[in-house]
Amino acid sequence: MPATQCRRYAVVGAGPAGLAAATTLANAATTSTCIESAPQIGGQFNMALRVPGKEEFAETLRYFRRRIQTTGVRLQLNHTRRCPGAGRPTLRCRDPGTA
């Protein structure tokens, strides 16, 4: 179902679920940004790739790299925000239009 108005969404995490959400949102005529603290997409798939017999996970990541390109998802890697005085990363919306 197409979006009736332009909306902007932020998806936190570029594992398989986050990538699926970001590309689906981008397909719905919205602006989607996928924010990941690691230097590459994949989440736990990157660890699973090291297990013998799980090399097919690389194909899933190749698929999502292509979907990111074709849907126009904005990808922010190595991205963390720290809240002053707190020990763990937090993300905050930059404006009220960002979910």
Side-chain angles (χ1 to χ4, degrees):
M1 173 165 64
T4 56
Q5 59 183 226
C6 183
R7 295 180 184 220
R8 298 184 313 181
Y9 294 94
V11 176
V12 179
L19 295 170
T23 55
T24 299
L25 287 166
N27 258 358
T30 63
T31 300
S32 166
T33 302
C34 190
I35 303 166
E36 172 62 49
S37 63
Q40 73 278 345
I41 68 168
Q44 295 296 314
F45 264 33
N46 292 311
M47 185 181 309
L49 282 168
R50 299 179 191 150
V51 176
K54 299 295 182 184
E55 295 83 11
E56 72 275 6
F57 286 171
E59 179 60 25
T60 302
L61 295 180
R62 187 205 61 77
Y63 165 80
F64 277 119
R65 281 187 197 95
R66 181 73 180 130
R67 291 279 294 148
I68 288 166
Q69 292 172 348
T70 60
T71 59
V73 170
R74 296 177 186 163
L75 186 59
Q76 296 181 4
L77 300 175
N78 292 314
H79 188 82
T80 58
R81 287 193 170 226
R82 298 226 178 249
C83 182
R88 54 184 193 177
T90 60
L91 293 168
R92 293 188 181 179
C93 297
R94 294 185 184 181
D95 60 61
T98 304

